[in-house]
Amino acid sequence: MAEKKDISLVLGSGGARGLAHIGVIHFLEENDYRIKSISGCSIGALVGGIFAAGKLEEYEEWVRAIRKKDILALLDLSWERSGLVKGDKIINKLIDLVGEIYIEELPIPFTAVATNLKNEKELWITSGRLFDAIRASISMPLFFTPFCYKDTVLIDGGVLNPVPIAPTFSDGTDMTIAVNPGGPADSSEEKSGSCPAEEVEPTSRHKKISEFIEGLRKTVTDRVKGHEGVFDIALQSFEAMQSTIARQKLAAYPPDVVIEISRSACRTLDFDRAAELIDLGYKKAGSCLNQ
């Protein structure tokens, strides 16, 4: 039997493509890798924090139940000019699934990376409420409102560091594995990934989600209607910026292994495609680590 390897796991930003992180984690756990620390940014902080809390199974079950028509209604609109969505309902739903946890209580050292808007520096959050750290790290400009953390205004960590390797430098593990959901565009992957997800019979979990969102659907749809093109352009611009920064960071601080998820695998908000993205992450991890 192969000796288990202790690893530092770095989970990057990339919207719905970050659901591939779940598949990567499954592969690592099944193949003699021990995750001894996690550094995450944006969706990487969300998935990594929930995994560190021991609740990845509950989150995966929930996100697999989401379908396209549910996405908009899961968002609580902000009437502020700083962002479209407050994010409170998403975070509260995650707290319902995972529980109220402090980072200091996690069995695995965890760092969420956000961006300090005032001093234009990244901030490593290693203590305090787990979902405060996650909410700060996922604060994508224009989409989510900035998050006030200890009197500091924070936005998405991917603005400055989409694949945050630096927090793992002093870990002393056998190897560092980084997952970059902003990898080079792949036209063949984009084509294959454009197929609609298979329709399945609603589960009890999905029925609960539908009940949760039904009261919000009309308000959200009316508010967003007519602005889809504007936000799509903004999201694509943000992704292009992140992809460039990620390449620079990975070149400057190369980890032992980089697992890249093509940024053409899906769009930023395609969270209804969880099953195929989780499977993609598992396959990409296998192809990178079984060489």
Side-chain angles (χ1 to χ4, degrees):
M1 182 176 179
E3 183 180 351
K4 289 195 173 186
K5 293 182 179 179
D6 292 345
I7 66 166
S8 299
L9 183 61
V10 180
L11 302 178
S13 62
R17 292 187 303 278
L19 295 175
H21 294 321
I22 299 173
V24 171
I25 290 171
H26 287 331
F27 180 87
L28 294 173
E29 290 193 305
E30 292 173 11
N31 288 274
D32 300 318
Y33 294 92
R34 285 186 298 231
I35 300 171
K36 303 298 287 186
S37 79
I38 298 174
S39 172
C41 171
S42 199
I43 184 66
L46 192 157
V47 173
I50 291 175
F51 169 74
K55 296 289 185 176
L56 189 61
E57 181 179 349
E58 288 83 350
Y59 174 70
E60 180 178 350
E61 180 185 357
W62 179 73
V63 79
R64 280 178 179 271
I66 295 176
R67 292 184 286 187
K68 187 175 292 293
K69 65 180 182 179
D70 302 334
I71 303 299
L72 285 179
L74 282 168
L75 309 177
D76 50 345
L77 296 176
S78 167
W79 301 102
E80 303 173 19
R81 295 183 179 180
S82 56
L84 176 68
V85 176
K86 291 187 294 184
D88 294 345
K89 290 191 176 294
I90 292 174
I91 292 298
N92 289 337
K93 184 61 180 178
L94 293 173
I95 291 174
D96 287 342
L97 288 170
V98 176
E100 185 64 270
I101 299 173
Y102 283 76
I103 295 175
E104 301 92 319
E105 300 170 349
L106 297 175
I108 301 173
F110 170 75
T111 302
V113 177
T115 298
N116 185 321
L117 194 57
K118 185 175 181 179
N119 66 15
E120 301 177 356
K121 295 180 179 180
E122 61 186 83
L123 177 68
W124 300 356
I125 305 176
T126 58
S127 63
R129 296 175 69 236
L130 174 63
F131 284 101
D132 280 352
I134 289 172
R135 175 61 182 85
S137 189
I138 67 172
S139 299
M140 184 186 301
L142 184 63
F143 190 75
F144 281 113
T145 58
F147 185 71
C148 187
Y149 177 84
K150 296 182 179 179
D151 298 322
T152 302
V153 177
L154 301 179
I155 59 173
D156 196 311
V159 170
L160 294 180
N161 196 350
V163 189
I165 296 171
T168 69
F169 284 170
S170 61
D171 283 351
T173 52
D174 296 323
M175 63 189 305
T176 298
I177 298 175
V179 187
N180 175 24
D186 184 336
S187 58
S188 62
E189 190 170 279
E190 184 175 26
K191 182 177 180 180
S192 64
S194 62
C195 299
E198 181 181 357
E199 287 291 326
V200 296
E201 197 68 26
T203 63
S204 59
R205 174 74 70 177
H206 180 263
K207 290 177 181 177
K208 290 180 181 179
I209 293 173
S210 296
E211 292 172 2
F212 170 69
I213 65 174
E214 193 58 39
L216 300 172
R217 187 187 307 280
K218 187 177 185 304
T219 301
V220 175
T221 302
D222 290 347
R223 173 83 188 280
V224 175
K225 191 177 294 183
H227 297 281
E228 296 95 332
V230 174
F231 288 106
D232 192 47
I233 292 171
L235 290 174
Q236 289 183 48
S237 300
F238 186 61
E239 288 185 347
M241 177 193 72
Q242 284 189 310
S243 180
T244 300
I245 297 172
R247 288 197 301 271
Q248 294 172 343
K249 293 286 187 180
L250 291 169
Y253 308 108
D256 297 289
V257 176
V258 180
I259 300 170
E260 293 202 302
I261 307 299
S262 169
R263 64 178 181 275
S264 57
C266 74
R267 294 183 299 177
T268 302
L269 300 180
D270 284 349
F271 285 91
D272 58 300
R273 294 170 60 182
E276 63 182 280
L277 291 165
I278 293 169
D279 184 56
L280 175 62
Y282 189 93
K283 291 177 179 177
K284 289 285 187 179
S287 63
C288 288
L289 293 166
N290 285 335
Q291 293 179 351

